[in-house]
Amino acid sequence: MISKNLFSILCGILVWVLGVGFYLFSYYIPFLENPELQSNIILALGIIPSACLGTYLFYRNHYMKPSALAITFVIVATVLDVLITVPAFIIPYGGSYSKFFGDPMFYTIVVEFYFIVLYFGTHLTKKIKA
């Protein structure tokens, strides 16, 4: 059996993969003149079902305080952004770490991500305890 800490990291990786998928996919269907704004909007919308799926999968077999799971997911996503997203998808197109992590939209999505996992996790754990 996988420990809850390892499983929370694996679920966080799944959410990150889905988020990056939404972000990259948004470039293939242009509907705004600003592709960066469009990708951020798609990511902000796509993170909702992605975070809910990761949270649901975690709580099917494990328990952790929703706030701890939310911060775990945020840390996992941030580390993967540092190690993979920025070097592979941002820097080759003229971006940088400072531009990526200095963008207010990054922090908006981080806060959204945290509160989605917190809210949905709290909802799921209330059902488990009932």
Side-chain angles (χ1 to χ4, degrees):
M1 180 104 188
I2 297 176
S3 76
K4 70 178 178 180
N5 293 327
L6 177 58
F7 196 65
S8 68
I9 292 169
L10 293 174
C11 289
I13 291 170
L14 171 67
V15 174
W16 175 82
V17 167
L18 292 171
V20 169
F22 278 111
Y23 183 84
L24 295 175
F25 181 72
S26 72
Y27 284 98
Y28 292 102
I29 305 174
F31 60 89
L32 293 178
E33 288 182 25
N34 183 341
E36 189 174 319
L37 175 62
Q38 174 181 307
S39 62
N40 282 330
I41 291 169
I42 296 298
L43 176 58
L45 295 173
I47 203 69
I48 297 168
S50 302
C52 290
L53 175 65
T55 304
Y56 171 76
L57 291 174
F58 178 81
Y59 282 117
R60 280 183 36 197
N61 298 312
H62 296 84
Y63 178 79
M64 179 185 284
K65 290 174 95 174
S67 59
L69 183 64
I71 199 70
T72 300
F73 279 13
V74 167
I75 289 169
V76 166
T78 303
V79 168
L80 291 172
D81 282 342
V82 167
L83 297 175
I84 299 171
T85 305
V86 175
F89 304 115
I90 305 300
I91 292 175
Y93 298 99
S96 66
Y97 280 99
S98 61
K99 184 177 178 188
F100 183 82
F101 289 105
D103 185 354
M105 192 62 167
F106 172 80
Y107 297 98
T108 302
I109 292 171
V110 166
V111 169
E112 173 195 15
F113 186 24
Y114 177 85
F115 282 110
I116 289 168
V117 175
L118 180 67
Y119 174 79
F120 193 58
T122 301
H123 175 72
L124 289 175
T125 56
K126 282 182 183 177
K127 284 188 172 187
I128 292 169
K129 290 179 183 179

